[in-house]
Amino acid sequence: MEAMTIRSILQAIVHPRTVTEDLGPPPQVAADVPRLAGSLQLRHVDAGSCNGCELEITSTFGPVYDAERFGARLVASPRHADALLVTGPVTKNMVGPLVKTFEAMPEPRMVIALGDCARDCGVFRGGYGVEGPVGDVLPVDLQVPGCPPNPEAIVRALRGLTGR
Amino acid sequence: MSNLSLVITAIAGLSAAIAGCALPAKTRVHAAVAFTWGACIAALVGSLTVLHTGHAMVLNSSRILPLTGVTMVLDPLGAVFVVVTAVVAIASTLYWLGYASHGLSTRTASAALPIFVTSMLLVPAAGSVATFLWLWELMALSSLLLVLVDQRRREETRSAAQWYAVMTHVGASAILFALVMLSAHAGNQTFAAIRIHAVHLPAAVRNTAFLLALVGFGSKAGAVPLHVWLPKAHPEAPSPASALMSGAMVNLGIYGIVLVGDRLLGGGPAWWWLTVTAVGVVSALFGALHAATSTDLKRLLAYSTADNMGLVLIGVGASGLFATTGHPAIAAIAMVSALLLTVNHAAFKGSLFLSAGSVQVATGSRDLDGMGGLLRRMPITGAVFLVGGLAIAALPPLNGFVGEWLLFQSLLHGLPTSSTAVAIAVPVGVAALALTGGLTAAAFVKAIGVGFLGRPRSEGAATAHEVPRTMQLGAALLAGACVVLGVVPMIVLPALERATAAAVPGAPAHSLRSSVELRLAGLQGVLAPALLAAGLALAFIAVIAIRRLAQRRSHLRLALRRAEPWGCGRELQTARMQYTATSFAEPLQQVFDDVLRPDRDLNVSHLAESRYYTEKIAYRTSIGDVVEHNVYRPMIGAVNAWGQWARGLQNGSVHRYLAYGLVVLVVILAVIV
C-alpha cells in the first residue's frame, strides 16, 4: 500500500477504489453448468447439516471474504433466488420442505450442493434419519467439496457461476 | 302547485305502512316497497325542483296536527338531504325485496320501514318546531322498531336497542329544549319567525340553544362521545335498516346542526364552530381507529360512520369559523365539501352496509376472522364492496376523493388569513384528516383483504353463495352512484352550491367553477376528476394491451407456472395460517394501546404429569369502547345504585306505606299552615 499522505486520502475520498488484492480471472467451470451474467441470488437451505458449512458460508459473506463483491447474494425467499444452496445430508424431515423450496423458485434455477454431506452424506451416510445426498432429491448443478469447504473454495465456486 | 310532492310523499308513505301492516305475508313486502318507491320518487321530484329553481316549497295545514298545525318548508338545504335519503331508500328497499325472507317480512317490520323512510324524507322539509319534533320522533321510534327485529333470537339486540332508545331520547329532549326555547323567545314556532327573531336574542340563550342542539343532533350523527349507541344499534339492525340508518339518518344530525347553527341562529361566535370542529376531529380519529381494529364487519362500518360524520363536522365547523372571520368564499367551499362528504358517505356507506348484509346472509356471520375467499364465491357483492371500500378510502377516481380534496382545499386555504384560534384549529384539522384517511384505508384493506381474498376460514364462508339478484342490484345501485359522483361530481355541485347559499350568509353564488375540471373561485385549486378517471382507465388499458401484445410474440411470452403460496416450506398449510382481521390490526392496536385499552386474557394450562408441557393456550382479546367504559358505565352504575337505595323505601309493608301517607300529609299541612 502506498504512503498515506493528505493528498492520497483526499484522492481516496474523491475517487474511492476497491481495496482488494488481485484475484485473477474467475475459475472455469464445467460446460454444462449454466453461466450467469454477473449476478447470483442464493437461497440457502440447511437440509440436516452439522452447521460447519453454515459457519463457512457466514464467513464467505462476511467482511473478510465478502462474496457479494462478486455478485453473489443470499436472499430471504426462494421467490427471489436463482440458485438453491443446500448444505448437509437430506434428512427425512427435510425432504418435503427442500422440494417445496425448489418448486417455489422461478425458472431457470440451479442447485448447488455445498460440502461433503450434501454430495454423498459424508459421515452421516446410512444414518437412520438420513434420506440420502442432495442429488437423490434434486438435480444438482454444482458441487463444492470439503468438510467443511473453506471460504476460499466457496468463493471460487461462486465466482465460477457469476463469472466475476 | 309544487307542494303536491310533499303531500304525495306523505300519503304514499302512509299507504306503504298500511299495506305492510294489513296485507298477507306473500304480498306485504312487495306492496310496501312499491308504495315506498312512490313516496321516494315524489320526494325526489319535489326536492329536485326546489334545487333547480332555488325557490322553497311551502305547505301549511292547520288540520293535520291538533293545536300546532303542520308547516312544511323545503328549501335547497333540506332538499339535498331529501335527495340523499330518497336514493338510499330506493336502493335499500330494492335490497329489502330479497332480504325479506331473513326475518324482515313481519307486519311490524313491513310497517316500520316505510314509516322510517317517509319520516326521514319529511324531516328536512319541516318548517316549524312542532312538525320537526313530530317527524323526528317518528323517525326515532320507527328505527328503534327496526333495530328490535331480531330481538327474539339475539340477546345483544335487546341491549343495543336499549342503548339506542336512551341515547336517541336524551338527544331528542336536548333538541326539544333548544327548539322550544327559541320558539318561546320568538313567540312563534315556525322556523321563519325564529330566524327573524334570533338576531335579538340574548347571547346566553343563543349559546344554550346551540349547545343543546349540538348535543341532540350530535348524538344522532354519532359524534364522539355521544356515539355509543351507533356501533351497537347499526350492526344489530337488519341490513336494509342499517344502510338507511347509516346512509340517511345520521345525515339528519348534520342537517340539524346546520339548521340551528346557520339557518335559525344565523351563525355565531368562533368558539361555537371551534367546538364543532373539535368534536369532528375527535369523532373522526376515534371512529377511524376503532374501524381499523374492529373484527365485526358491521361494527367496523358503524365506527367508520362515526369517522365520516366527524369529517363532515370538521367541514361544518370550518365553514362557520371562516364565516365569522369574514371569509365567506372559503366558508362556502367548506360547506360544499361538508355537504359533498355527506352525499358521498350516503352512497358508499349504503352500498357497504348492504353488501355486508349480503355477506352476513351468505355466511351466517359478521365475524371477519371467519371469512375469506368471498370474492370468488360472491363476485358481484365482492365487487360492490370493493368499490365502496375504495371510495371510502378516498382513492381516485371515486367520490370520496373529491369530497376530501375539497375539504383539504378549504382548510389549507383558510390557514394564512385569520386569527390565532383558526391558526391552531386548522392545522390540527388537516393533520386529523390525514391520519383519519390512513386509518380508514387500513380498515378497508383489512375488510377487503381478510373478508374477500384468501381462503375461507370457516364452513360458512366456504359454502357461501351469491345472494338474490334484487339484493345485488340494491347494493350495486349505490356503488354505481359512487363511481358517477367520483367521475362527474359537477352534476351535484350546483345543487350543493344552492344549498350552501341557503346555509352560509354572504356566500358567493358560484364558489366553484366547474365544467370538466373543478376550479375554486378565488383560490388556487384545480381538479379534473373525469380526466383523472380517463387517465387511470387509459393506463389500465395500456397495461392489458402490452400484455396481450407480449403474449402474441412468442419470444416475449410470459412463462406462467402456477405454484402454491410460499409458506416457508411448511408441509401443511391451512386457512388458519392466513392473516386474520385481529392479527392485521394488532400492530395498530399496539401503537394506540393507550387509547383503545384492549382487554387481553392469556390462559395456559399444563399437563397433569409435568408443568414443563403445555396442554392448551387460550388467548382472548377484545376492544371495548373507552368512552362507554369510562363515562357511561359509571353513570349507569350510579343510577342503578340510586335505584337500589330507593328500593328500601318499598318493602311491601302496608303499615309503612300508611306511615308514608301520614308523614306526607303532616308535612303538607305544616307547609300550608
Side-chain angles (χ1 to χ4, degrees), chain B residues 126-353:
Chain B
S128 74
V129 171
T131 318
F132 185 87
L133 289 172
W134 262 97
L135 291 168
W136 188 264
E137 200 50 32
L138 200 60
M139 174 180 92
L141 290 179
S142 50
S143 55
L144 180 59
L145 279 179
L146 290 171
V147 172
L148 271 169
V149 161
D150 263 347
Q151 56 109 358
R152 293 229 173 90
R153 273 180 296 167
R154 291 173 58 84
E155 185 67 37
E156 300 93 317
T157 305
R158 258 169 279 167
S159 144
Q162 268 178 0
W163 276 93
Y164 178 43
V166 172
M167 289 305 292
T168 193
H169 281 96
V170 168
S173 53
I175 296 168
L176 178 78
F177 274 118
L179 292 181
V180 166
M181 198 162 69
L182 289 177
S183 68
H185 276 272
N188 189 325
Q189 55 124 354
T190 59
F191 286 164
I194 292 176
R195 192 176 313 142
I196 294 165
H197 198 80
V199 194
H200 313 297
L201 284 177
V205 175
R206 289 168 59 90
N207 291 343
T208 319
F210 181 75
L211 287 182
L212 279 173
L214 186 60
V215 168
F217 290 117
S219 79
K220 188 55 86 182
V224 175
L226 299 163
H227 68 288
V228 278
W229 62 274
L230 206 141
K232 293 175 188 293
H234 284 210
E236 290 302 328
S239 291
S242 11
L244 279 168
M245 287 169 83
S246 210
M249 189 178 74
V250 292
N251 295 346
L252 296 180
I254 303 294
Y255 170 73
I257 292 171
V258 177
L259 174 78
V260 174
D262 287 317
R263 297 279 285 143
L264 296 187
L265 297 173
W271 67 266
W272 285 12
W273 304 111
L274 282 175
T275 314
V276 173
T277 313
V279 168
V281 165
V282 173
S283 307
L285 287 179
F286 192 83
L289 196 52
H290 269 279
T293 48
S294 289
T295 52
D296 178 330
L297 186 56
K298 281 176 86 176
R299 194 175 149 90
L300 183 156
L301 295 178
Y303 269 118
S304 140
T305 298
D307 150 22
N308 276 276
M309 286 299 117
L311 296 186
V312 175
L313 284 178
I314 294 177
V316 171
S319 160
L321 207 57
F322 295 140
T324 55
T325 54
H327 299 94
I330 307 178
I333 293 173
M335 184 55 83
V336 169
S337 77
L339 291 176
L340 186 59
L341 284 172
T342 316
V343 173
N344 289 342
H345 175 250
F348 50 63
K349 196 52 69 64
S351 73
L352 285 172
F353 257 117

Side-chain angles (χ1 to χ4, degrees), chain B residues 391-415:
Chain B
I392 203 167
L395 291 179
L398 296 164
N399 59 352
F401 173 69
V402 184
E404 292 203 12
W405 181 80
L406 265 182
L407 185 54
F408 265 119
Q409 288 290 342
S410 68
L411 286 177
L412 292 173
H413 284 101
L415 187 60

Side-chain angles (χ1 to χ4, degrees), chain A residues 78-79 96-97 100 103 105 109, chain B residues 561 563-566 569-571:
Chain A
R79 296 273 195 245
K100 281 203 164 197
E103 279 168 359
M105 286 166 59
R109 53 200 174 188
Chain B
R561 181 160 59 90
E564 68 172 318
W566 172 238
R570 237 186 252 119
E571 300 262 359

Side-chain angles (χ1 to χ4, degrees), chain B residues 104 166 182 251 312 446 500 532 642:
Chain B
L104 204 60
V166 172
L182 289 177
N251 295 346
V312 175
K446 179 184 71 180
T500 303
L532 202 63
W642 187 51

